[in-house]
Amino acid sequence: MTELPLFDPRTRLRRLRNVDRDIGSLGAVGGGCLLATFILFLLNSTLAVVPLAGFLVASGYGWYAHQAETARALTFLATASTILILGLITVYVFIEALPVLQRMGVRLFGFTEPVEFFGVTIIPSVESYWSTSQHTYSLIPMIWGTFVTTLIATAIAAPLGIAAALFLAEIAPPLIRETVKPGVEILAGIPSIVYGYLGFVVLNTFLYENLEMTNLGSLFLVGLVIGLMALPTVVSVADDALTSVPDSMRDGAVAMGLTRWQTMKSITLPAALSGVSAAVLLGIGRAVGETMAATVILGHIQKLPDPLQDVFDNTETLTSLIASQYGNADGLHMNALFTAGVVLFVTVLILSIAARRIELRMDRKLGGGQ
């Protein structure tokens, strides 16, 4: 009696071809539906929901019948969509800012009048100011306000955050660490409007009454509040970086006779410096992009402090400018607010590039130049 083969190669090949054809059809249908959804969305049509539903049905069937291939396609689609959406946002923001850039030119970064900085008078060559009625705009006061508040916030969040992360990762007993670490992460999730409201009601009143300030709201107070807001983020990310250092490195340092402080200073912190630097830059990024706390506290005056180094004076930041004026803006005024967004975009881009360069440099240093 002749035994039949366990499978027929021709039948198996036919099945594989059918599967490939099915996957190709699903990909064509899903891609077509997604493309139609995107086009109808750009056209501001309510019919965009129809192809979107078709894409969801095709994805659901693909997940049921060909899960591995569908997962691969969806992850690729998510990555490509992220890049595409980011590119479209960038192009849109720059296009919207172009009319003001063409109208104002270098005057967009000009001054209203000579500015005194630590006794030295800065005489600008270009004069400008922020006037929505005359469509004349200068971003210098807002850029200065953003710079000062970010500097103050970094001076608070960076050293305190790194010190707290070192304590939690290297010194704190397990009970204290397990209690404090979740609390720090909860603090990082509190909405910024809450911090801003508490800063305005409690700290603002305290500074006004005890320091005899002439106005409510100041750059110092905004920087202080934003620094406290960024502190949990710095602590959490830096702690994760420090705890990821292998225990063998600490044990080797202790075996060589180093104290706990020497181990932290010479072994743990340098080994985790890329992660700690990323934590600080994340805190700076939050300080630069913080909106609600600055909007609640500041008095929204579009002029430079007098003198320039007076951190207790009132002015505006780029984010608070956008938040406080976009509701009533149109025409060139709206374009000017988009220009403020461009400045923020470029600033965050520079911070991201700097963080990446620091990470690569530390990888080369700790990896022996490989």
Side-chain angles (χ1 to χ4, degrees):
M1 182 176 180
T2 304
E3 294 184 359
L4 295 175
L6 295 178
F7 61 88
D8 184 1
R10 290 176 296 181
T11 303
R12 181 177 176 82
L13 181 60
R14 191 180 305 113
R15 290 178 178 176
L16 290 175
R17 288 177 177 174
N18 290 336
V19 170
D20 292 340
R21 189 180 301 111
D22 191 18
I23 294 173
S25 300
L26 280 174
V29 172
C33 289
L34 195 62
L35 180 61
T37 302
F38 179 71
I39 294 175
L40 291 174
F41 174 77
L42 292 179
L43 296 176
N44 199 24
S45 174
T46 56
L47 296 177
V49 69
V50 177
L52 178 61
F55 170 76
L56 295 177
V57 171
S59 300
Y61 175 75
W63 189 265
Y64 171 77
H66 312 287
Q67 190 172 110
E69 291 78 6
T70 303
R72 188 182 303 113
L74 290 178
T75 52
F76 170 78
L77 181 63
T79 304
S81 299
T82 301
I83 298 174
L84 177 62
I85 292 172
L86 180 60
L88 290 175
I89 291 175
T90 303
V91 172
Y92 180 79
V93 170
F94 275 86
I95 289 177
E96 288 295 320
L98 191 59
V100 169
L101 292 172
Q102 292 176 337
R103 175 186 175 90
M104 298 296 301
V106 71
R107 290 184 300 161
L108 191 64
F109 305 97
F111 296 82
T112 304
E113 55 189 10
V115 178
E116 183 177 335
F117 184 64
F118 288 105
V120 179
T121 301
I122 303 174
I123 303 177
S125 58
V126 180
E127 293 187 359
S128 181
Y129 56 96
W130 185 273
S131 173
T132 58
S133 60
Q134 300 182 25
H135 298 300
T136 307
Y137 308 97
S138 173
L139 292 178
I140 283 294
M142 284 63 79
I143 293 175
W144 178 254
T146 302
F147 172 75
V148 172
T149 54
T150 302
L151 193 64
I152 295 173
T154 304
I156 294 171
L160 294 180
I162 295 174
L166 281 170
F167 173 78
L168 290 176
E170 302 293 327
I171 301 175
L175 179 61
I176 295 180
R177 173 180 171 79
E178 293 173 0
T179 303
V180 174
K181 184 66 183 295
V184 170
E185 294 176 348
I186 290 175
L187 288 176
I190 296 178
S192 60
I193 186 66
V194 177
Y195 284 100
Y197 181 73
L198 290 176
F200 180 77
V201 173
V202 179
L203 297 178
N204 203 9
T205 304
F206 176 82
L207 293 177
Y208 182 76
E209 293 178 352
N210 291 274
L211 298 184
E212 299 181 357
M213 296 172 58
T214 58
N215 53 271
L216 288 172
S218 65
L219 295 176
F220 173 79
L221 182 57
V222 174
L224 175 63
V225 172
I226 295 176
L228 296 177
M229 289 175 53
L231 186 59
T233 302
V234 176
V235 173
S236 182
V237 177
D239 175 72
D240 293 338
L242 292 169
T243 53
S244 65
V245 176
D247 291 334
S248 58
M249 298 180 67
R250 299 183 180 89
D251 296 338
V254 174
M256 293 295 292
L258 297 182
T259 64
R260 176 175 292 181
W261 166 246
Q262 290 172 333
T263 301
M264 288 190 296
K265 182 180 68 173
S266 304
I267 304 298
T268 308
L269 190 57
L273 189 57
S274 61
V276 174
S277 301
V280 174
L281 288 172
L282 281 174
I284 295 175
R286 179 164 189 181
V288 171
E290 178 51 43
T291 303
M292 295 312 301
T295 304
V296 171
I297 296 174
L298 288 175
H300 309 293
I301 300 174
Q302 293 82 36
K303 68 175 185 178
L304 288 167
D306 186 21
L308 193 61
Q309 71 273 11
D310 186 5
V311 296
F312 295 100
D313 202 348
N314 220 333
T315 183
E316 190 86 274
T317 64
L318 290 168
T319 53
S320 65
L321 174 75
I322 297 172
S324 62
Q325 296 194 7
Y326 84 95
N328 299 321
D330 60 352
L332 282 176
H333 186 191
M334 181 65 76
N335 298 133
L337 297 182
F338 271 101
T339 308
V342 168
V343 175
L344 285 172
F345 178 85
V346 173
T347 303
V348 174
L349 180 62
I350 293 173
L351 288 175
S352 300
I353 294 174
R356 182 58 179 167
R357 289 184 63 86
I358 291 174
E359 183 177 357
L360 292 176
R361 179 176 298 180
M362 291 308 302
D363 288 342
R364 288 195 298 268
K365 181 179 180 180
L366 298 175
Q370 296 179 356

